[in-house]
Amino acid sequence: KNDDIMYVTIHREDLGKKGKTTVYPDMPAYRQVVLCLWIFTVGLQILYGPSPACAQWLWLTAVLLEAARSDCRNGTIPMALVGRGLGGWPLVIGNIGWRPALCRAVEGAAALGLLLAVTVLGERLFKKRLLGGGDIRLVGLIGLWLGWRGCWLSVWAAAMLALAEGWFRKCRVVRWGPALAAGTLFYIVFFSNR
């Protein structure tokens, strides 16, 4: 194994086949993820300056990148990461106030409920697991921070990225954690209120 590449183990049962496990390189190593976080931090500082909005987005970015790394490395998004994301939510309150933050939380919960219903319906129709529990918790966290518009735009961007990854890599199993993180970062940079 090379230090510059993280490896992900996919069980062939996940692909609908019986047999051994397959190991394939997935995303750049942790130090490259940290470099991306640093570049994104500089970009946020340029966009927002030293402000509560910058602190808010940096906290969420750190949690999302850690979730993407964990999903690539272990195939799971731990509940502790969602707890860290909730720990930074007072930054949202400090940035936009109590009422708008509470509205975002309710909107995010509604978006999460709709996504959960679509996931359950899709699993019954296709007889396959579509999203893991960690992915659904991560979408709930994104909805809490961004509200329903941000949540749905992030999920839509993540779906497009996941489809592109599956098509270019010609694989049937795609990790949603990195796609959700990238889709959310896309929303933060291009669509969030400044």
Side-chain angles (χ1 to χ4, degrees):
K1 290 184 180 180
N2 183 353
D3 269 352
D4 292 337
I5 297 176
M6 286 189 217
Y7 287 83
V8 178
T9 303
I10 299 293
H11 296 278
R12 289 189 182 255
E13 290 81 20
D14 292 343
L15 299 173
K17 302 174 185 174
K18 301 286 181 192
K20 299 179 182 177
T21 58
T22 305
V23 177
Y24 65 93
D26 199 15
M27 73 176 276
Y30 186 66
R31 66 185 109 119
Q32 290 166 326
V33 171
V34 169
L35 177 65
C36 290
L37 177 60
W38 183 80
I39 291 169
F40 191 73
T41 302
V42 170
L44 282 175
Q45 286 290 334
I46 291 169
L47 280 174
Y48 295 101
S51 67
C54 185
Q56 167 189 335
W57 298 133
L58 285 177
W59 188 289
L60 181 60
T61 300
V63 170
L64 289 171
L65 288 176
E66 183 62 25
R69 186 186 75 81
S70 176
D71 197 15
C72 285
R73 183 168 274 178
N74 306 324
T76 62
I77 299 173
M79 189 63 179
L81 280 176
V82 177
R84 286 183 205 139
L86 290 173
W89 198 60
L91 293 171
V92 176
I93 296 169
N95 186 28
I96 64 174
W98 279 100
R99 286 187 179 153
L102 187 60
C103 287
R104 275 190 190 179
V106 171
E107 291 171 354
L112 175 63
L114 184 59
L115 179 70
L116 190 56
V118 168
T119 301
V120 169
L121 179 66
E123 286 177 358
R124 291 183 190 247
L125 288 174
F126 298 116
K127 310 252 188 274
K128 289 183 183 180
R129 187 172 175 196
L130 300 179
L131 286 176
D135 300 322
I136 292 172
R137 287 190 300 262
L138 189 59
V139 168
L141 180 67
I142 292 166
L144 176 73
W145 279 70
L146 303 178
W148 73 270
R149 288 179 192 94
C151 183
W152 279 108
L153 280 172
S154 298
V155 168
W156 181 84
M160 295 299 110
L161 289 169
L163 283 172
E165 179 190 7
W167 187 71
F168 283 118
R169 287 184 41 201
K170 296 181 178 26
C171 64
R172 295 177 59 192
V173 176
V174 177
R175 296 281 177 211
W176 270 93
L180 284 169
T184 304
L185 295 179
F186 176 80
Y187 174 81
I188 289 170
V189 170
F190 295 108
F191 296 106
S192 66
N193 294 335
R194 294 192 177 128

